[in-house]
Amino acid sequence: DGIRDKLVTGVQTCALPISSSRAEPESVISAAIGALSGPAHGGANEAAIRLFVDIKSPDNVENYLAGMVERKERIPGFGHRIYHVKDPRSSVIQRLAGEVIVRPEEQNYYAIALEVEARLAERLGARGLWPNVDLFSGCVFGALDIPIDFFTPCFAAARTAGWTVHIREQLESGNRIFRPDQLWVGLSPRPFVALAQR
C-alpha cells in the first residue's frame, strides 16, 4: 500500500478513503472535485497563466521572479511532491504547446513560461524543484480558447474516467478500508491537573 500511495495523485489520495468506505461513486468523484477546488492543487495552472499576465514580457521574468524567490513565495507550475526532476508530463505538454499556440498573445505567455523555466532551473533545480505539468498547461488551454476559470473544471472532466476506474479496481481488489497513517508529533503525555488546582 505504501508504494501505491506514492504513485497516486493528491486527488486520488483524497478519494481513496471515501471509495474504500463503499460510498456511492458520485460521492467519491465529488470528493475528488472538492480536492481540486483548492488553489494549492487544482488552481495551479490558472495561477501560472495569471502570473504570466502579470509579468507581461519575457524581458521582465528575471526581476519579477527575483522578488518572488526573495520573498519565498510559491511559484505556480514549479515543484512537485513526487517528481524531483522535470515532470515528464510537462515535456509532453511543451511539445503540444508548440503545435497549438499560434496567436501572438499566447506565444508571449509561452515565451514567458520558457523563460520562467530557464531562470528557475538555475536557482531551484539543485533543490529538486522543476517545472510540473501546470507551468505549460495553461498556455495550451488558453490557445484552445478555454477561459482561465474553466482550466480546473476541464482537468477534472478529463480525470473523471480515471477516478471511476480507480474506484472499480479498488472494490474488485478486495477493498481493504483505507486509513491514512497519523503520527503524533505534539507534546509528550502530561499529568492531569484537576480544575480546582489549576
Side-chain angles (χ1 to χ4, degrees):
D1 283 348
I3 293 173
R4 182 190 67 180
D5 295 347
K6 290 180 181 175
L7 295 177
V8 297
T9 69
V11 174
Q12 286 171 308
T13 302
C14 166
L16 280 171
I18 298 158
S19 179
S20 74
S21 74
R22 297 185 187 266
E24 292 292 322
E26 296 88 340
S27 297
V28 179
I29 300 300
S30 295
I33 291 170
L36 279 178
S37 69
H41 188 61
N45 56 8
E46 295 178 31
I49 204 76
R50 292 183 201 284
L51 175 71
F52 305 156
V53 170
D54 285 346
I55 291 175
K56 294 184 177 56
S57 163
D59 296 335
N60 299 332
V61 168
E62 177 61 32
N63 288 337
Y64 199 101
L65 291 181
M68 291 184 76
V69 171
E70 187 177 309
R71 292 185 300 272
K72 298 185 178 179
E73 292 179 26
R74 176 177 282 180
I75 298 166
F78 236 77
H80 194 278
R81 188 170 179 197
I82 295 171
Y83 297 121
H84 299 290
V85 295
K86 184 172 179 175
D87 186 333
R89 300 168 300 173
S90 183
S91 299
V92 173
I93 296 233
Q94 272 185 275
R95 286 196 300 274
L96 182 61
E99 296 173 17
V100 299
I101 295 174
V102 294
R103 291 179 295 221
E105 184 178 30
E106 279 90 27
Q107 287 175 339
N108 182 56
Y109 295 152
Y110 184 58
I112 292 170
L114 291 171
E115 190 66 19
V116 167
E117 176 184 29
R119 299 295 179 175
L120 290 180
E122 295 171 5
R123 292 176 183 224
L124 305 177
R127 292 175 25 201
L129 297 172
W130 294 92
N132 61 42
V133 70
D134 296 309
L135 186 65
F136 298 103
S137 64
C139 296
V140 172
F141 283 165
L144 297 174
D145 290 327
I146 297 170
I148 294 175
D149 291 341
F150 281 75
F151 286 5
T152 301
C154 284
F155 178 83
R159 296 300 287 269
T160 300
W163 295 336
T164 305
V165 170
H166 187 79
I167 295 166
R168 183 174 177 175
E169 287 175 347
Q170 182 169 334
L171 295 174
E172 290 176 352
S173 70
N175 190 53
R176 277 185 21 208
I177 193 158
F178 182 91
R179 290 183 173 93
D181 292 335
Q182 292 183 342
L183 299 174
W184 175 254
V185 295
L187 297 172
S188 300
R190 294 168 289 164
F192 175 74
V193 178
L195 189 59
Q197 299 171 348
R198 293 183 201 173

